[in-house]
Amino acid sequence: MMKLTKKEIPFIGAINILNTGIFRKKVGLKEQFVYINPKMAHILGYEEDELYEIPLDEIFVDPRKLVQMEKQALKKGFLKEEDLVLRPKDHQNILCSISLAVVKDKDSDDCFVDGIIEDVAASRKTEKDFQESKELFKTVFNNSAVAIVVADQKEKIIAWNPFSEIMLGLTQQDLFNKPIKELFPVRELKKLNALSSRYKDIISDIETRVFKKDKNVLEVNLSLSRIRDNTGKVIGSIRIMHDMTKQKDAERKIKESENKIRTILDNSAIAITLTDEKERLVTWNQYTEKILGMHKGDLFQRPISSLYPSNEWEKIRGANIRQSGSSHHIETKVIRKDGKVIDVELSVNVLKDSNNKVAGSVGIMQDITKQKRAQQNLLQAKKAAEDASSAKTMFLANMSHEVRTPMNTIMGMVDLTLDTDLSEEQRDNMLTIKNAADILLGLLNDILDLSRVEAGKIQLEQIELNLRNIVQSVCKGLAVLARNKGLRLEWEVADNVPRIIFADPVRIRQVLVNLINNAIKFTFKGSIVTKVRAVSKTDSECDLEFSVADQGVGIPQNKVDKIFDVFTQADASTTRRFGGTGLGLSICRKLVEMMGGGIWVESEEFKGSTFFFTGKFKIAVGSAEVDGEESIEDALIDALPKKQLKHLSILLAEDNIVNQKIAVRMLEKRGWEVKAASNGKQVLELLDKEDFDLILMDAQMPVLDGFEATKMIRKREEASGGHIPIIALTARVMAGDRKKCLDSGMDGYVSKPIDRKKLYEAVENFFQKRKVQ
């Protein structure tokens, strides 16, 4: 091995410190290195001495290529930067760039090849990275959804990305060399220049405006960067513009919406509050300040609980609103700044974040202090009205009792007198008295009926009845009265009317009797026709229309709407000519309305009138036939032989001596034995001494009234057994009086003034029912 000495290598010191591998070898593959510098040894991973001993084909991966490179160098004298792969000591091949120069030794005529080797792997990677970065920048630049504009030092546009053309509506010809200032309105340009003077190289997040080609203005977010050369001189600038027009429009709309909402809230006559997750007030409307008498400083961050009295806050807490999410129409109280407590109605809705955690709540408060005061006043007024109504009811009850008691005497004495031998004149006088008493009793009944209806004390019964029999019964009963005036009374029930319905037979009969009676009263010739038809019908319900048509005096058109009012008749002279108080039609209207219908009249003066009324009724499907309003039991009773009951022993309890005598005589005329008592105590004493078949019990008596006496009798019977029938014989006919009698233990009810026929029927029917049973 021939190795050059340091003296043989010129500039050995400079060569050894180069960051480039240097070597010398003789031409040919079999030759070895005659010189290597330290960098060469480092590149190959060997010690310098090792490399002088190693064959070249172990260093060069492709030795033949090295030989070819040497041949080219011999021809030209040199070879520049050819790629060659070397095999270092660790066998991790590296790509190097090699340059060769041919050198001839003057003394020996030997030919050497000097080589320069550089590891190009790192530089190639850097170059590749740079190229990739360049391509990435180009891709980003060309595909960015923002406008990127590059200007030179004279602020003229020299480059731009495609989105700039799209956003600004400009072409390449429009943009190239265009002064950048022409993109901005004058006012915005001044603002940008002012900012540029304050900042050195970068200005970001500037809200400004730019012109499109059509002179429409875009709102943009602008970033500006200056470009400087190595000396620090500004040689250009880059502007990045993001179109914010739609976003700004949306923000303006949101702002407008917020302003509208704020305007609405601030002009709402309710207090609206918003609290945070710690239940502190964070925002509110103006009415909140008004209702609480507080200002912003009083409310901001104020615990919402401090607005309520402690007991009211505990009530709100007890509602568990946070768990349920909302609660509405809570009546509570809040404390004003001046310490005054006011009534409010509160609604609360809990607000939650995306993680379903409570973020606060919205409260709506309405001042109901005036309403509560008005409600209290109404309650007081209602109580006063109820007290007045109760007083009126008591008055009517007492009046009824007080009037019916002497009426009972009058009518009883008249009936008893009519049973004696009288002259024609005497009989006519007594009948006149009886007629007047009947009219007076009818008036009393009308007044009491109206009072009960207005007080809502009448409850319609719902029992099965045959409507055809009801109509027939009413019309037959009034036919005699019509015939006496020379009138024909006719009736007709359409085929589409169900045979059996659920209704109150007493009230239907009452309305029909009133209308037909009126028709008879105001008609002097011709006929009166009563009709019933179904105006609509299903399997379970029907709407029925009743009509009563006459050929009487008729009603003037200007009076038609008033005749159903209380104490009103078509003409002031009507009372004088025909009698009556004008209560009947008013009662009819109220009863019909309770049936779910209405009442009206069609009339022409001097030609007659037709009264109509309607009602809603349930149909009794598959029920047994019922004759009129009678029950099956009543039908069985009627089938019994009408044989008078003899040898009845009756105990009469009546405190009024005159009425007592009249009742005794009435009962004795029927062949019954009667003993009288003046109060409940005497009744109990007589029952201790002897047995009776029946007791007729007055309700109002001194010492012990009929109700208490009955209860005591029933108490005794619980221990001793047995049951003596007790029938109420009373002038108490107000709503609930019948029920009160039955609830006390009585078995029946006969009202005063006593109608002999009804009294006899009540007694006889009771014993006949017992036979049926």
Side-chain angles (χ1 to χ4, degrees):
M1 177 194 72
M2 183 184 69
K3 179 179 177 184
L4 296 177
T5 63
K6 291 182 179 179
K7 291 181 179 182
E8 295 177 300
I9 302 173
F11 309 108
I12 187 66
I15 292 173
N16 285 341
I17 64 173
L18 288 176
N19 197 30
T20 303
I22 305 293
F23 70 88
R24 175 173 283 185
K25 64 178 285 294
K26 281 187 178 184
V27 176
L29 184 59
K30 294 182 179 181
E31 302 295 335
Q32 293 179 316
F33 292 117
V34 295
Y35 172 76
I36 58 172
N37 72 340
K39 181 62 178 177
M40 181 68 181
H42 177 74
I43 291 173
L44 295 173
Y46 288 96
E47 296 294 331
E48 291 181 40
D49 292 338
E50 289 181 297
L51 283 173
Y52 291 111
E53 303 294 334
I54 298 175
L56 293 182
D57 58 359
E58 290 187 18
I59 299 299
F60 296 93
V61 175
D62 189 359
R64 292 179 181 180
K65 187 174 182 180
L66 176 62
V67 172
Q68 291 174 356
M69 292 171 64
E70 287 180 352
K71 287 179 180 180
Q72 291 177 17
L74 288 171
K75 287 180 182 181
K76 294 181 180 181
F78 65 91
L79 180 71
K80 292 184 66 175
E81 297 178 354
E82 287 284 342
D83 288 346
L84 193 65
V85 179
L86 302 182
R87 184 183 294 112
K89 187 176 182 179
D90 60 6
H91 296 285
Q92 297 293 325
N93 296 350
I94 59 174
L95 177 64
C96 293
S97 175
I98 187 170
S99 297
L100 301 177
V102 178
V103 180
K104 289 184 178 183
D105 189 342
K106 295 177 181 181
D107 297 330
S108 62
D109 290 329
D110 290 333
C111 190
F112 294 94
V113 177
D114 289 342
I116 301 174
I117 290 181
E118 289 184 312
D119 183 358
V120 297
S123 62
R124 291 288 174 85
K125 184 177 184 304
T126 301
E127 183 180 348
K128 182 182 177 184
D129 290 346
F130 173 75
Q131 189 63 31
E132 290 177 352
S133 176
K134 183 178 177 182
E135 290 298 325
L136 178 61
F137 172 78
K138 185 177 179 181
T139 301
V140 172
F141 185 80
N142 289 332
N143 292 281
S144 292
V146 292
I148 304 173
V149 178
V150 182
D152 61 15
Q153 59 185 356
K154 294 181 180 180
E155 289 292 282
K156 289 187 177 181
I157 298 173
I158 57 172
W160 58 89
N161 68 336
F163 193 78
S164 299
E165 299 176 15
I166 297 171
M167 192 177 93
L168 300 173
L170 298 171
T171 64
Q172 292 180 0
Q173 290 78 9
D174 297 325
L175 283 167
F176 184 68
N177 238 13
K178 182 182 182 73
I180 197 76
K181 66 180 181 181
E182 292 183 7
L183 293 179
F184 300 93
V186 176
R187 185 176 178 181
E188 297 299 321
L189 194 60
K190 289 180 179 179
K191 182 174 74 173
L192 291 173
N193 290 336
L195 286 170
S196 297
S197 64
R198 284 187 287 170
Y199 297 93
K200 187 175 181 180
D201 284 332
I202 297 176
I203 311 172
S204 61
D205 202 24
I206 309 166
E207 291 188 2
T208 185
R209 291 176 172 83
V210 294
F211 285 125
K212 293 182 68 174
K213 185 175 182 178
D214 58 9
K215 295 304 179 183
N216 284 330
V217 176
L218 297 177
E219 295 185 79
V220 298
N221 184 283
L222 172 69
S223 293
L224 169 64
S225 298
R226 292 188 179 93
I227 305 172
R228 296 180 182 271
D229 62 15
N230 294 334
T231 64
K233 181 181 178 182
V234 174
I235 59 172
S237 60
I238 300 175
R239 288 170 177 81
I240 300 175
M241 295 176 287
H242 177 55
D243 186 358
M244 304 284 289
T245 306
K246 290 183 179 179
Q247 180 180 331
K248 287 295 181 181
D249 285 342
E251 288 177 359
R252 276 191 292 272
K253 288 178 181 177
I254 292 171
K255 189 67 176 178
E256 289 172 3
S257 177
E258 288 177 349
N259 289 337
K260 286 179 182 177
I261 293 171
R262 172 53 64 178
T263 301
I264 292 170
L265 292 178
D266 283 342
N267 287 278
S268 296
I270 53 175
I272 303 172
T273 60
L274 178 66
T275 63
D276 60 16
E277 72 281 0
K278 295 182 179 179
E279 296 183 335
R280 298 172 302 190
L281 283 165
V282 291
T283 188
W284 55 88
N285 67 338
Q286 290 180 359
Y287 195 77
T288 304
E289 297 179 13
K290 180 178 179 181
I291 195 175
L292 298 174
M294 297 181 183
H295 300 293
K296 292 181 180 179
D298 302 316
L299 291 169
F300 186 66
Q301 294 288 305
R302 184 188 187 106
I304 193 72
S305 59
S306 66
L307 297 179
Y308 301 89
S310 57
N311 60 322
E312 294 295 325
W313 180 247
E314 288 177 8
K315 182 174 74 174
I316 295 170
R317 266 279 181 252
N320 292 322
I321 300 174
R322 285 202 164 198
Q323 284 72 30
S324 62
S326 65
S327 184
H328 304 287
H329 309 300
I330 306 169
E331 287 195 6
T332 184
K333 301 176 186 295
V334 292
I335 307 169
R336 286 173 49 88
K337 186 177 181 179
D338 57 11
K340 183 180 178 182
V341 177
I342 60 173
D343 293 291
V344 297
E345 184 181 83
L346 174 67
S347 293
V348 180
N349 285 282
V350 176
L351 302 176
K352 295 186 177 181
D353 60 19
S354 57
N355 296 320
N356 205 35
K357 290 185 178 180
V358 174
S361 64
V362 176
I364 300 175
M365 286 188 294
Q366 186 169 4
D367 185 355
I368 58 170
T369 306
K370 291 182 179 179
Q371 292 94 311
K372 293 287 284 186
R373 190 180 300 120
Q375 187 178 7
Q376 288 295 109
N377 293 338
L378 282 174
L379 288 173
Q380 292 175 2
K382 180 175 180 290
K383 186 177 185 305
E386 288 173 347
D387 291 343
S389 176
S390 178
K392 183 187 80 170
T393 301
M394 184 63 68
F395 167 75
L396 288 173
N398 291 334
M399 183 193 75
S400 169
H401 184 272
E402 295 305 320
V403 172
R404 284 173 181 273
T405 299
M407 283 289 294
N408 183 60
T409 302
I410 294 169
M411 296 182 75
M413 292 303 295
V414 168
D415 282 338
L416 291 173
T417 304
L418 285 171
D419 286 341
T420 62
D421 294 330
L422 299 173
S423 66
E424 286 299 319
E425 182 179 1
Q426 289 172 328
R427 184 168 295 278
D428 184 61
N429 289 342
M430 296 306 294
L431 288 172
T432 301
I433 293 171
K434 180 174 175 60
N435 185 50
D438 286 339
I439 292 171
L440 183 58
L441 183 60
L443 172 60
L444 181 61
N445 287 335
D446 279 351
I447 291 172
L448 294 176
D449 252 354
L450 181 63
S451 173
R452 287 199 292 262
V453 170
E454 288 183 339
K457 299 296 185 181
I458 288 183
Q459 298 293 326
L460 296 183
E461 291 186 291
Q462 296 294 319
I463 61 176
E464 293 183 4
L465 58 87
N466 186 318
L467 188 60
R468 287 173 173 78
N469 290 345
I470 291 283
V471 174
Q472 179 178 306
S473 172
V474 170
C475 292
K476 279 185 176 180
L478 295 173
V480 176
L481 183 61
R483 193 162 49 249
N484 291 340
K485 289 188 68 177
L487 304 173
R488 296 189 309 278
L489 185 57
E490 303 171 0
W491 60 92
E492 176 186 331
V493 179
D495 292 338
N496 66 349
V497 174
R499 289 188 62 79
I500 309 298
I501 63 172
F502 286 96
D504 189 324
V506 174
R507 297 308 174 185
I508 290 179
R509 180 185 290 274
Q510 182 177 352
V511 176
L512 284 173
V513 167
N514 195 294
L515 296 181
I516 297 172
N517 256 330
N518 280 350
I520 294 171
K521 184 191 297 185
F522 295 108
T523 304
F524 300 99
K525 64 178 181 177
S527 62
I528 296 166
V529 180
T530 299
K531 294 182 179 181
V532 185
R533 69 185 183 97
V535 293
S536 67
K537 184 169 65 172
T538 66
D539 292 340
S540 59
E541 294 182 339
C542 62
D543 287 352
L544 301 183
E545 179 186 84
F546 300 75
S547 63
V548 178
D550 63 52
Q551 297 173 329
V553 297
I555 304 169
Q557 287 301 311
N558 62 343
K559 304 290 185 180
V560 166
D561 294 334
K562 298 179 180 180
I563 61 171
F564 296 102
D565 294 339
V566 179
F567 299 113
T568 300
Q569 294 183 327
D571 191 277
S573 62
T574 300
T575 302
R576 294 192 299 272
R577 291 173 61 197
F578 302 102
T581 62
L583 288 177
L585 288 178
S586 176
I587 294 171
C588 287
R589 181 178 68 178
K590 295 182 182 299
L591 291 175
V592 166
E593 288 172 351
M594 291 177 67
M595 297 177 194
I599 187 168
W600 69 97
V601 62
E602 296 175 0
S603 181
E604 188 174 348
E605 199 169 9
F606 308 122
K607 291 189 177 181
S609 305
T610 302
F611 282 82
F612 298 88
F613 73 92
T614 59
K616 295 181 180 294
F617 305 96
K618 291 185 177 179
I619 301 172
V621 180
S623 60
E625 286 286 333
V626 180
D627 185 14
E629 67 267 42
E630 296 178 343
S631 65
I632 294 174
E633 185 180 55
D634 291 333
L636 288 172
I637 292 169
D638 289 341
L640 292 173
K642 299 296 183 182
K643 181 181 179 182
Q644 288 188 358
L645 297 171
K646 299 293 184 180
H647 310 300
L648 281 183
S649 175
I650 297 175
L651 174 56
L652 172 68
E654 170 64 67
D655 63 311
N656 185 290
I657 299 301
V658 176
N659 286 343
Q660 189 183 98
K661 289 180 179 179
I662 293 171
V664 169
R665 289 174 63 183
M666 283 182 179
L667 295 168
E668 288 177 342
K669 279 183 175 289
R670 201 68 169 172
W672 299 329
E673 296 179 3
V674 184
K675 282 196 175 182
S678 299
N679 56 63
K681 182 180 179 183
Q682 292 180 7
V683 170
L684 296 175
E685 291 172 351
L686 284 170
L687 285 175
D688 288 336
K689 295 176 182 178
E690 54 185 296
D691 295 329
F692 295 93
D693 296 311
L694 180 136
I695 301 174
L696 293 174
M697 184 81 76
D698 189 13
Q700 282 186 280
M701 295 184 295
V703 184
L704 186 67
D705 66 26
F707 298 119
E708 291 303 318
T710 300
K711 290 177 181 178
M712 294 177 72
I713 292 169
R714 297 303 182 217
K715 191 73 174 176
R716 288 181 179 184
E717 290 173 347
E718 288 179 7
S720 62
H723 182 89
I724 185 169
I726 301 175
I727 296 176
L729 191 65
T730 176
R732 296 177 66 93
V733 293
M734 290 297 290
D737 286 336
R738 180 187 182 90
K739 185 176 184 301
K740 187 175 181 181
C741 292
L742 298 178
D743 288 347
S744 69
M746 298 181 188
D747 300 285
Y749 178 94
V750 176
S751 64
K752 296 179 183 178
I754 299 172
D755 183 312
R756 283 193 297 174
K757 183 180 177 181
K758 289 183 179 179
L759 176 61
Y760 296 154
E761 285 178 353
V763 174
E764 292 171 355
N765 283 348
F766 184 85
F767 287 100
Q768 286 171 342
K769 285 180 182 179
R770 295 179 69 182
K771 287 180 182 179
V772 171
Q773 294 169 353

